[in-house]
Amino acid sequence: MPRTLDGQITMEKTPSYFVTREVPRRIHSMSPDTKLIVVVRNPVTRAISDYAQTLSKTPGLPSFRALAFRHGLGPVDTAWSAVRIGLYAQHLGNWLHYFPLSRFLFVSGERLVSDPAGEVGRVQDFLGLKRVVTDKHFYFNTTKGFPCLKKAPESSRPRCLGKSKGRPHPRVPKAVVQRLQDFYRPFNLKFYQMTGQDFGWD
Protein backbone atom coordinates (compact mmCIF):
# COMPACT_ATOMS: atom_id res chain seq x y z
CA MET A 1 0.00 0.00 0.00
CA PRO A 2 1.24 3.52 -0.71
CA ARG A 3 2.02 5.85 2.20
CA THR A 4 -0.99 7.84 3.34
CA LEU A 5 -0.60 11.40 4.57
CA ASP A 6 -2.72 13.02 7.28
CA GLY A 7 -6.10 13.92 5.83
CA GLN A 8 -5.89 11.23 3.13
CA ILE A 9 -7.65 7.90 2.81
CA THR A 10 -6.03 5.14 0.78
CA MET A 11 -8.41 2.58 -0.72
CA GLU A 12 -7.71 -0.76 -2.35
CA LYS A 13 -10.24 -3.14 -3.90
CA THR A 14 -9.72 -6.82 -4.54
CA PRO A 15 -12.78 -9.11 -4.57
CA SER A 16 -10.80 -12.20 -3.59
CA TYR A 17 -9.61 -10.69 -0.29
CA PHE A 18 -12.79 -11.56 1.60
CA VAL A 19 -12.65 -15.25 0.63
CA THR A 20 -8.89 -15.90 0.83
CA ARG A 21 -7.97 -17.50 4.14
CA GLU A 22 -4.54 -15.88 4.64
CA VAL A 23 -5.62 -12.30 3.90
CA PRO A 24 -7.12 -11.20 7.26
CA ARG A 25 -3.88 -12.02 9.11
CA ARG A 26 -1.78 -10.23 6.49
CA ILE A 27 -3.93 -7.10 6.46
CA HIS A 28 -4.06 -7.03 10.26
CA SER A 29 -0.27 -7.26 10.48
CA MET A 30 0.01 -4.39 7.96
CA SER A 31 -2.58 -2.17 9.66
CA PRO A 32 -4.93 -3.32 12.44
CA ASP A 33 -6.87 -0.03 12.11
CA THR A 34 -7.94 -0.80 8.52
CA LYS A 35 -11.62 -0.23 7.76
CA LEU A 36 -13.13 -2.99 5.67
CA ILE A 37 -16.00 -2.55 3.21
CA VAL A 38 -17.61 -5.75 1.93
CA VAL A 39 -20.20 -5.67 -0.86
CA VAL A 40 -22.46 -8.73 -0.74
CA ARG A 41 -25.42 -9.83 -2.79
CA ASN A 42 -27.78 -12.78 -2.87
CA PRO A 43 -25.36 -15.71 -3.12
CA VAL A 44 -27.53 -17.53 -5.68
CA THR A 45 -27.62 -14.49 -7.98
CA ARG A 46 -23.90 -13.99 -7.32
CA ALA A 47 -23.09 -17.58 -8.33
CA ILE A 48 -25.11 -17.28 -11.55
CA SER A 49 -23.40 -13.96 -12.33
CA ASP A 50 -19.99 -15.53 -11.68
CA TYR A 51 -20.91 -18.36 -14.06
CA ALA A 52 -22.08 -15.87 -16.74
CA GLN A 53 -18.75 -14.05 -16.54
CA THR A 54 -16.75 -17.29 -16.80
CA LEU A 55 -18.96 -18.53 -19.65
CA SER A 56 -18.31 -15.33 -21.61
CA LYS A 57 -14.57 -16.08 -21.45
CA THR A 58 -14.81 -19.86 -21.75
CA PRO A 59 -17.43 -20.95 -24.30
CA GLY A 60 -18.28 -24.62 -24.02
CA LEU A 61 -18.29 -24.60 -20.22
CA PRO A 62 -20.54 -27.27 -18.65
CA SER A 63 -23.99 -26.07 -17.59
CA PHE A 64 -24.47 -24.13 -14.37
CA ARG A 65 -26.36 -27.10 -12.93
CA ALA A 66 -23.53 -29.52 -13.78
CA LEU A 67 -21.01 -27.32 -11.95
CA ALA A 68 -23.19 -26.40 -8.96
CA PHE A 69 -24.14 -29.96 -8.00
CA ARG A 70 -22.27 -33.22 -7.77
CA HIS A 71 -23.84 -36.20 -9.57
CA GLY A 72 -26.66 -34.35 -11.36
CA LEU A 73 -28.83 -32.81 -8.65
CA GLY A 74 -26.84 -34.40 -5.81
CA PRO A 75 -25.13 -32.42 -3.06
CA VAL A 76 -24.16 -28.81 -3.74
CA ASP A 77 -20.53 -28.66 -4.83
CA THR A 78 -18.91 -26.20 -2.41
CA ALA A 79 -15.54 -26.87 -4.05
CA TRP A 80 -16.75 -24.80 -7.03
CA SER A 81 -15.65 -21.23 -6.31
CA ALA A 82 -18.88 -19.68 -7.65
CA VAL A 83 -20.74 -21.51 -4.86
CA ARG A 84 -18.06 -21.28 -2.16
CA ILE A 85 -17.74 -17.48 -2.37
CA GLY A 86 -21.39 -17.08 -1.30
CA LEU A 87 -20.76 -18.77 2.06
CA TYR A 88 -20.35 -15.33 3.60
CA ALA A 89 -20.75 -16.44 7.23
CA GLN A 90 -17.78 -18.79 6.93
CA HIS A 91 -15.57 -16.13 5.37
CA LEU A 92 -16.60 -13.50 7.93
CA GLY A 93 -15.83 -15.92 10.76
CA ASN A 94 -12.23 -16.06 9.55
CA TRP A 95 -11.99 -12.24 9.49
CA LEU A 96 -13.47 -11.86 12.97
CA HIS A 97 -10.43 -13.66 14.42
CA TYR A 98 -8.44 -10.54 13.47
CA PHE A 99 -10.84 -7.58 13.23
CA PRO A 100 -13.83 -6.56 15.37
CA LEU A 101 -17.19 -6.20 13.63
CA SER A 102 -16.97 -2.42 14.11
CA ARG A 103 -14.19 -2.30 11.47
CA PHE A 104 -16.60 -3.62 8.81
CA LEU A 105 -19.27 -2.05 6.66
CA PHE A 106 -21.44 -4.51 4.74
CA VAL A 107 -22.92 -2.97 1.62
CA SER A 108 -25.95 -4.57 -0.03
CA GLY A 109 -25.26 -5.22 -3.70
CA GLU A 110 -29.00 -5.12 -4.37
CA ARG A 111 -29.42 -1.72 -2.68
CA LEU A 112 -26.31 -0.45 -4.45
CA VAL A 113 -28.35 -0.88 -7.65
CA SER A 114 -31.77 0.23 -6.34
CA ASP A 115 -30.52 3.07 -4.09
CA PRO A 116 -26.89 3.84 -4.97
CA ALA A 117 -26.86 7.21 -3.21
CA GLY A 118 -28.13 5.64 0.02
CA GLU A 119 -25.49 2.91 0.05
CA VAL A 120 -22.69 5.30 -0.98
CA GLY A 121 -23.92 7.63 1.79
CA ARG A 122 -23.39 4.80 4.30
CA VAL A 123 -19.87 4.30 2.93
CA GLN A 124 -19.09 8.01 3.31
CA ASP A 125 -20.39 7.96 6.89
CA PHE A 126 -18.37 4.84 7.73
CA LEU A 127 -15.19 6.46 6.42
CA GLY A 128 -15.88 9.69 8.33
CA LEU A 129 -16.33 11.68 5.13
CA LYS A 130 -18.73 14.49 4.42
CA ARG A 131 -21.64 13.27 2.28
CA VAL A 132 -20.58 14.73 -1.06
CA VAL A 133 -21.93 12.03 -3.39
CA THR A 134 -25.74 12.19 -3.42
CA ASP A 135 -28.63 11.08 -5.61
CA LYS A 136 -27.83 13.97 -7.99
CA HIS A 137 -24.71 12.07 -9.00
CA PHE A 138 -26.51 8.96 -10.32
CA TYR A 139 -28.77 7.98 -13.16
CA PHE A 140 -30.05 4.53 -14.08
CA ASN A 141 -28.75 2.99 -17.31
CA THR A 142 -31.61 0.81 -18.56
CA THR A 143 -29.38 -0.94 -21.10
CA LYS A 144 -26.96 -2.21 -18.44
CA GLY A 145 -29.50 -2.44 -15.64
CA PHE A 146 -27.16 -0.55 -13.31
CA PRO A 147 -26.79 3.04 -12.11
CA CYS A 148 -24.09 5.22 -13.63
CA LEU A 149 -22.12 7.87 -11.76
CA LYS A 150 -21.99 11.44 -13.01
CA LYS A 151 -18.62 12.94 -12.08
CA ALA A 152 -20.37 16.21 -11.25
CA PRO A 153 -24.12 16.92 -11.22
CA GLU A 154 -23.82 19.04 -14.38
CA SER A 155 -21.40 16.64 -16.14
CA SER A 156 -22.58 15.13 -19.42
CA ARG A 157 -20.06 12.25 -19.35
CA PRO A 158 -21.13 9.68 -16.75
CA ARG A 159 -19.00 6.80 -15.51
CA CYS A 160 -20.77 3.49 -16.15
CA LEU A 161 -19.72 -0.06 -15.42
CA GLY A 162 -17.47 -1.67 -18.04
CA LYS A 163 -18.42 -4.10 -20.77
CA SER A 164 -17.94 -7.10 -18.48
CA LYS A 165 -20.76 -5.90 -16.17
CA GLY A 166 -24.48 -6.07 -16.78
CA ARG A 167 -24.32 -9.01 -19.18
CA PRO A 168 -27.44 -11.19 -19.45
CA HIS A 169 -27.47 -14.21 -17.18
CA PRO A 170 -28.09 -17.69 -18.58
CA ARG A 171 -31.44 -19.31 -17.86
CA VAL A 172 -31.15 -21.56 -14.84
CA PRO A 173 -34.00 -23.99 -14.11
CA LYS A 174 -36.22 -22.98 -11.18
CA ALA A 175 -35.53 -26.29 -9.44
CA VAL A 176 -31.79 -25.54 -9.49
CA VAL A 177 -32.32 -22.01 -8.13
CA GLN A 178 -34.62 -23.37 -5.40
CA ARG A 179 -32.09 -26.04 -4.36
CA LEU A 180 -29.39 -23.38 -4.05
CA GLN A 181 -31.69 -21.04 -2.10
CA ASP A 182 -32.44 -23.88 0.30
CA PHE A 183 -28.72 -24.68 0.59
CA TYR A 184 -27.69 -21.08 1.33
CA ARG A 185 -30.57 -20.28 3.73
CA PRO A 186 -28.87 -21.39 6.98
CA PHE A 187 -25.61 -19.70 5.96
CA ASN A 188 -27.50 -16.50 5.10
CA LEU A 189 -29.33 -16.52 8.44
CA LYS A 190 -26.05 -16.97 10.29
CA PHE A 191 -24.54 -14.10 8.28
CA TYR A 192 -27.52 -11.87 9.20
CA GLN A 193 -26.97 -12.72 12.88
CA MET A 194 -23.22 -12.10 12.68
CA THR A 195 -23.60 -8.70 10.96
CA GLY A 196 -26.85 -7.55 12.59
CA GLN A 197 -28.24 -6.91 9.08
CA ASP A 198 -31.02 -8.72 7.27
CA PHE A 199 -30.22 -8.57 3.56
CA GLY A 200 -33.62 -10.03 2.60
CA TRP A 201 -32.34 -12.91 0.49
CA ASP A 202 -34.85 -15.39 1.92
Side-chain angles (χ1 to χ4, degrees):
M1 296 291 282
R3 292 189 181 276
T4 304
L5 302 175
D6 285 343
Q8 290 183 323
I9 293 177
T10 301
M11 298 186 80
E12 206 282 338
K13 175 189 87 76
T14 301
S16 63
Y17 280 173
F18 187 59
V19 301
T20 304
R21 188 147 196 82
E22 306 80 23
V23 170
R25 178 183 52 77
R26 290 178 181 170
I27 291 179
H28 187 269
S29 67
M30 178 196 74
S31 175
D33 297 326
T34 297
K35 289 187 176 184
L36 303 152
I37 301 171
V38 183
V39 181
V40 292
R41 67 190 292 201
N42 183 317
V44 177
T45 309
R46 205 218 64 76
I48 295 169
S49 179
D50 189 315
Y51 175 77
Q53 182 173 9
T54 305
L55 186 63
S56 72
K57 298 174 184 174
T58 317
L61 202 62
S63 71
F64 179 84
R65 173 182 169 167
L67 293 169
F69 301 98
R70 286 178 272 168
H71 318 298
L73 265 180
V76 172
D77 190 354
T78 56
W80 185 35
S81 65
V83 168
R84 189 176 62 254
I85 290 169
L87 299 172
Y88 304 133
Q90 289 184 359
H91 305 307
L92 179 58
N94 185 34
W95 281 87
L96 292 176
H97 291 299
Y98 298 91
F99 292 93
L101 194 60
S102 61
R103 304 304 299 173
F104 290 87
L105 176 69
F106 297 94
V107 174
S108 163
E110 288 83 7
R111 285 194 298 271
L112 201 52
V113 173
S114 65
D115 179 19
E119 287 299 283
V120 171
R122 291 180 62 236
V123 170
Q124 292 172 104
D125 293 347
F126 177 69
L127 296 175
L129 300 172
K130 181 181 173 186
R131 283 201 178 199
V132 176
V133 181
T134 66
D135 57 353
K136 295 182 294 190
H137 294 90
F138 294 96
Y139 85 92
F140 193 78
N141 181 320
T142 53
T143 305
K144 284 236 173 238
F146 286 100
C148 294
L149 179 66
K150 300 176 189 174
K151 293 184 183 175
E154 64 282 351
S155 172
S156 60
R157 300 191 69 206
R159 171 93 169 111
C160 293
L161 294 173
K163 292 178 182 177
S164 68
K165 301 293 183 182
R167 71 173 60 80
H169 287 179
R171 286 181 185 253
V172 177
K174 285 184 181 179
V176 170
V177 171
Q178 186 60 56
R179 280 284 311 281
L180 281 176
Q181 286 174 335
D182 294 343
F183 167 77
Y184 279 118
R185 187 168 291 112
F187 297 100
N188 291 345
L189 293 174
K190 185 173 182 187
F191 185 63
Y192 299 170
Q193 290 169 350
M194 292 169 83
T195 61
Q197 282 181 252
D198 184 340
F199 291 89
W201 299 324
D202 297 300

Coordinates of all heavy atoms in Angstrom, one line a residue, residues 124-166:
Q124 N -19.7 6.7 2.9 CA -19.1 8.0 3.3 C -19.1 8.2 4.8 O -18.2 8.6 5.4 CB -19.8 9.2 2.6 CG -19.5 9.2 1.1 CD -20.4 10.2 0.3 OE1 -19.9 11.2 -0.1 NE2 -21.7 9.9 0.1
D125 N -20.3 7.9 5.4 CA -20.4 8.0 6.9 C -19.4 7.0 7.6 O -18.7 7.5 8.5 CB -21.8 7.6 7.4 CG -22.9 8.6 6.9 OD1 -22.5 9.7 6.4 OD2 -24.1 8.2 6.9
F126 N -19.3 5.8 7.1 CA -18.4 4.8 7.7 C -16.9 5.3 7.7 O -16.1 5.1 8.6 CB -18.5 3.5 7.0 CG -17.6 2.4 7.4 CD1 -17.8 1.8 8.7 CD2 -16.6 1.9 6.6 CE1 -16.9 0.8 9.1 CE2 -15.8 0.9 7.0 CZ -15.9 0.3 8.2
L127 N -16.6 6.0 6.6 CA -15.2 6.5 6.4 C -15.0 7.8 7.1 O -13.9 8.4 7.0 CB -14.8 6.5 4.9 CG -14.8 5.2 4.2 CD1 -14.6 5.4 2.7 CD2 -13.8 4.2 4.8
G128 N -16.0 8.4 7.7 CA -15.9 9.7 8.3 C -15.8 10.8 7.3 O -15.2 11.9 7.6
L129 N -16.4 10.6 6.2 CA -16.3 11.7 5.1 C -17.6 12.5 5.1 O -18.7 11.9 5.5 CB -16.1 11.0 3.7 CG -14.8 10.2 3.6 CD1 -14.9 9.5 2.2 CD2 -13.6 11.1 3.7
K130 N -17.5 13.7 4.6 CA -18.7 14.5 4.4 C -19.5 13.8 3.3 O -18.9 13.3 2.3 CB -18.3 15.9 4.0 CG -19.5 16.9 3.8 CD -18.9 18.2 3.4 CE -20.1 19.1 3.0 NZ -19.6 20.4 2.4
R131 N -20.8 13.9 3.4 CA -21.6 13.3 2.3 C -21.6 14.2 1.1 O -22.4 15.1 1.0 CB -23.1 13.0 2.7 CG -23.2 11.8 3.6 CD -24.6 11.3 3.6 NE -24.8 10.1 4.4 CZ -25.8 9.3 4.3 NH1 -26.8 9.5 3.5 NH2 -25.8 8.2 5.1
V132 N -20.7 13.9 0.2 CA -20.6 14.7 -1.1 C -21.3 14.1 -2.2 O -22.0 14.8 -3.0 CB -19.1 14.9 -1.4 CG1 -18.9 15.6 -2.7 CG2 -18.4 15.6 -0.3
V133 N -21.2 12.8 -2.3 CA -21.9 12.0 -3.4 C -23.4 11.8 -3.0 O -23.6 11.2 -1.9 CB -21.2 10.7 -3.7 CG1 -21.9 10.0 -4.8 CG2 -19.8 10.9 -4.1
T134 N -24.3 12.3 -3.7 CA -25.7 12.2 -3.4 C -26.5 11.6 -4.6 O -25.9 11.3 -5.6 CB -26.3 13.6 -3.0 OG1 -26.3 14.4 -4.2 CG2 -25.5 14.2 -1.9
D135 N -27.8 11.6 -4.5 CA -28.6 11.1 -5.6 C -28.5 11.9 -6.9 O -28.8 11.4 -8.0 CB -30.1 10.9 -5.2 CG -30.7 12.2 -4.7 OD1 -30.0 13.2 -4.6 OD2 -31.9 12.3 -4.5
K136 N -28.0 13.1 -6.8 CA -27.8 14.0 -8.0 C -26.7 13.4 -8.9 O -26.6 13.8 -10.0 CB -27.5 15.4 -7.6 CG -28.6 16.2 -6.9 CD -28.1 17.6 -6.6 CE -27.0 17.6 -5.6 NZ -26.7 18.9 -5.1
H137 N -25.9 12.6 -8.3 CA -24.7 12.1 -9.0 C -25.0 10.8 -9.7 O -24.0 10.2 -10.3 CB -23.5 11.9 -8.0 CG -23.0 13.2 -7.4 ND1 -23.6 13.7 -6.3 CD2 -22.1 14.0 -7.9 CE1 -22.9 14.8 -6.0 NE2 -22.0 15.0 -7.0
F138 N -26.2 10.3 -9.7 CA -26.5 9.0 -10.3 C -27.7 9.1 -11.3 O -28.6 9.9 -11.1 CB -26.9 7.9 -9.2 CG -25.8 7.6 -8.3 CD1 -25.7 8.2 -7.1 CD2 -24.9 6.6 -8.7 CE1 -24.6 7.9 -6.2 CE2 -23.8 6.3 -7.8 CZ -23.7 7.0 -6.6
Y139 N -27.6 8.2 -12.3 CA -28.8 8.0 -13.2 C -28.8 6.5 -13.5 O -27.7 5.9 -13.5 CB -28.8 8.9 -14.4 CG -28.0 8.4 -15.6 CD1 -28.6 7.6 -16.6 CD2 -26.6 8.6 -15.7 CE1 -27.8 7.1 -17.6 CE2 -25.9 8.1 -16.7 CZ -26.5 7.4 -17.7 OH -25.8 6.9 -18.8
F140 N -29.9 6.0 -13.8 CA -30.0 4.5 -14.1 C -29.9 4.3 -15.6 O -30.6 4.8 -16.4 CB -31.4 4.0 -13.6 CG -31.5 2.5 -13.5 CD1 -30.8 1.8 -12.5 CD2 -32.1 1.8 -14.5 CE1 -30.9 0.4 -12.5 CE2 -32.2 0.4 -14.5 CZ -31.5 -0.3 -13.5
N141 N -29.0 3.4 -15.9 CA -28.7 3.0 -17.3 C -29.6 1.8 -17.6 O -29.3 0.7 -17.1 CB -27.3 2.7 -17.5 CG -26.9 2.3 -18.9 OD1 -27.7 1.6 -19.6 ND2 -25.8 2.8 -19.4
T142 N -30.7 1.9 -18.3 CA -31.6 0.8 -18.6 C -31.0 -0.3 -19.4 O -31.4 -1.4 -19.3 CB -32.9 1.3 -19.2 OG1 -32.6 2.1 -20.4 CG2 -33.7 2.2 -18.3
T143 N -30.0 0.1 -20.3 CA -29.4 -0.9 -21.1 C -28.6 -1.9 -20.2 O -28.7 -3.1 -20.4 CB -28.4 -0.3 -22.1 OG1 -29.2 0.7 -22.9 CG2 -27.8 -1.3 -23.1
K144 N -27.8 -1.4 -19.3 CA -27.0 -2.2 -18.4 C -27.7 -2.8 -17.3 O -27.4 -3.8 -16.7 CB -25.8 -1.4 -17.9 CG -24.7 -1.1 -18.9 CD -23.4 -1.6 -18.3 CE -22.3 -1.6 -19.3 NZ -21.7 -2.9 -19.6
G145 N -28.8 -2.0 -16.8 CA -29.5 -2.4 -15.6 C -28.8 -2.0 -14.4 O -29.1 -2.6 -13.3
F146 N -27.9 -1.0 -14.5 CA -27.2 -0.6 -13.3 C -27.1 1.0 -13.3 O -27.2 1.6 -14.4 CB -25.7 -1.0 -13.3 CG -25.5 -2.5 -13.0 CD1 -25.4 -3.4 -14.0 CD2 -25.5 -2.9 -11.7 CE1 -25.2 -4.8 -13.7 CE2 -25.4 -4.3 -11.4 CZ -25.2 -5.2 -12.4
P147 N -26.9 1.6 -12.1 CA -26.8 3.0 -12.1 C -25.4 3.4 -12.6 O -24.5 2.7 -12.6 CB -26.9 3.4 -10.6 CG -26.8 2.1 -9.9 CD -27.0 1.0 -10.8
C148 N -25.4 4.6 -13.2 CA -24.1 5.2 -13.6 C -23.8 6.4 -12.8 O -24.7 7.1 -12.3 CB -24.2 5.6 -15.1 SG -24.4 4.2 -16.2
L149 N -22.5 6.8 -12.6 CA -22.1 7.9 -11.8 C -21.8 9.1 -12.6 O -21.0 8.9 -13.6 CB -20.9 7.5 -10.9 CG -20.3 8.5 -10.0 CD1 -21.3 8.8 -8.9 CD2 -19.0 8.0 -9.4
K150 N -22.4 10.2 -12.3 CA -22.0 11.4 -13.0 C -20.9 12.0 -12.2 O -21.0 12.1 -11.0 CB -23.2 12.4 -13.1 CG -24.4 11.9 -13.8 CD -25.5 12.9 -13.7 CE -26.8 12.4 -14.2 NZ -27.9 13.3 -14.0
K151 N -19.8 12.4 -12.8 CA -18.6 12.9 -12.1 C -19.0 14.2 -11.3 O -18.5 14.5 -10.3 CB -17.4 13.1 -13.0 CG -16.9 11.8 -13.5 CD -15.7 11.9 -14.4 CE -15.3 10.6 -14.9 NZ -14.1 10.6 -15.8
A152 N -19.8 15.0 -11.9 CA -20.4 16.2 -11.2 C -21.8 16.3 -11.7 O -22.2 15.8 -12.8 CB -19.6 17.5 -11.7
P153 N -22.7 16.9 -10.9 CA -24.1 16.9 -11.2 C -24.4 17.5 -12.6 O -25.3 17.0 -13.3 CB -24.7 17.8 -10.1 CG -23.8 17.7 -9.0 CD -22.4 17.5 -9.6
E154 N -23.6 18.4 -13.1 CA -23.8 19.0 -14.4 C -23.0 18.3 -15.5 O -23.1 18.7 -16.7 CB -23.5 20.5 -14.4 CG -22.0 20.9 -14.1 CD -21.6 20.8 -12.7 OE1 -22.5 20.6 -11.8 OE2 -20.4 20.8 -12.4
S155 N -22.2 17.3 -15.2 CA -21.4 16.6 -16.1 C -22.2 15.8 -17.1 O -23.2 15.2 -16.8 CB -20.4 15.7 -15.4 OG -19.7 14.9 -16.4
S156 N -21.9 15.9 -18.4 CA -22.6 15.1 -19.4 C -21.9 13.8 -19.7 O -22.4 13.0 -20.5 CB -22.7 16.0 -20.7 OG -21.3 16.2 -21.2
R157 N -20.8 13.5 -19.1 CA -20.1 12.2 -19.3 C -20.1 11.4 -18.1 O -19.2 11.5 -17.3 CB -18.6 12.5 -19.8 CG -18.6 13.4 -21.1 CD -17.2 13.4 -21.7 NE -16.9 12.1 -22.2 CZ -15.7 11.7 -22.4 NH1 -14.7 12.5 -22.0 NH2 -15.4 10.5 -22.9
P158 N -21.1 10.5 -18.0 CA -21.1 9.7 -16.8 C -20.1 8.5 -16.8 O -19.6 8.2 -17.9 CB -22.6 9.1 -16.8 CG -22.9 9.1 -18.2 CD -22.2 10.3 -18.9
R159 N -19.9 8.0 -15.6 CA -19.0 6.8 -15.5 C -19.9 5.6 -15.3 O -20.5 5.5 -14.2 CB -18.0 7.0 -14.3 CG -17.2 5.8 -14.0 CD -15.9 5.8 -14.7 NE -15.1 4.8 -14.1 CZ -14.7 3.7 -14.7 NH1 -15.1 3.5 -15.9 NH2 -14.0 2.8 -14.1
C160 N -19.9 4.7 -16.3 CA -20.8 3.5 -16.2 C -19.9 2.3 -16.0 O -18.7 2.3 -16.3 CB -21.7 3.3 -17.4 SG -22.9 4.6 -17.5
L161 N -20.5 1.2 -15.6 CA -19.7 -0.1 -15.4 C -19.2 -0.5 -16.8 O -19.8 -0.3 -17.8 CB -20.6 -1.1 -14.8 CG -21.0 -0.9 -13.4 CD1 -22.1 -1.9 -12.9 CD2 -19.8 -0.9 -12.4
G162 N -18.1 -1.2 -16.8 CA -17.5 -1.7 -18.0 C -18.3 -2.7 -18.8 O -19.3 -3.2 -18.3
K163 N -17.7 -3.1 -19.9 CA -18.4 -4.1 -20.8 C -18.7 -5.4 -20.1 O -19.6 -6.2 -20.5 CB -17.6 -4.3 -22.0 CG -17.6 -3.1 -22.9 CD -16.7 -3.4 -24.2 CE -16.6 -2.1 -25.0 NZ -15.7 -2.4 -26.2
S164 N -17.8 -5.8 -19.1 CA -17.9 -7.1 -18.5 C -19.1 -7.1 -17.5 O -19.4 -8.2 -16.9 CB -16.6 -7.5 -17.8 OG -16.4 -6.6 -16.7
K165 N -19.7 -6.0 -17.2 CA -20.8 -5.9 -16.2 C -22.1 -5.7 -16.9 O -22.2 -5.1 -17.9 CB -20.5 -4.7 -15.2 CG -19.2 -4.8 -14.4 CD -19.2 -6.0 -13.5 CE -18.0 -6.1 -12.7 NZ -17.9 -7.2 -11.8
G166 N -23.1 -6.3 -16.2 CA -24.5 -6.1 -16.8 C -24.8 -7.0 -17.9 O -25.8 -6.8 -18.6

